[in-house]
Amino acid sequence: MAATLLHTRLYIASQYIAVPTEPLTLYNLDNLNSVGYRGGEDVYLTSDIDISTNLDWLKGCTVEKDGGTGKQKTGVIILVDKGEGVVDVFYFYFWAFNYGGTILERQLGELL
């Protein structure tokens, strides 16, 4: 996720907005909650370069033989103990890119 943030731009309603604290990182991402007209709800990030060029950072990390990714984190599991034997478990996995086909006559790209 950190590599992806370094290659994105901040937008509201298709208008570029300067990031309050540059560069945008995992440690200051919460600053976007104060941007925009609805407390960050109208903010989105998009790539600042052509993703169809198959960039190395967009392809993610290499999975090791044991299934690990070393120091690079690609997902997270959150456990919430509700008490009385009830536990909520949330699984999150991050993809920097997901092939989206052709939208509005524009192919969104495909990683090889």
Side-chain angles (χ1 to χ4, degrees), residues 6-7 16 22 29 34 60 62 85 89 92 94 104 107 111:
L6 292 175
H7 299 282
Y16 169 72
E22 292 204 17
L29 190 59
S34 63
T62 302
V89 182
F92 297 94
F94 178 76
L104 299 175
Q107 184 171 343
L111 296 179

Side-chain angles (χ1 to χ4, degrees), residues 78-89:
I78 298 174
L79 302 170
V80 180
D81 188 345
K82 299 287 194 164
E84 298 182 18
V86 176
V87 177
D88 286 342
V89 182

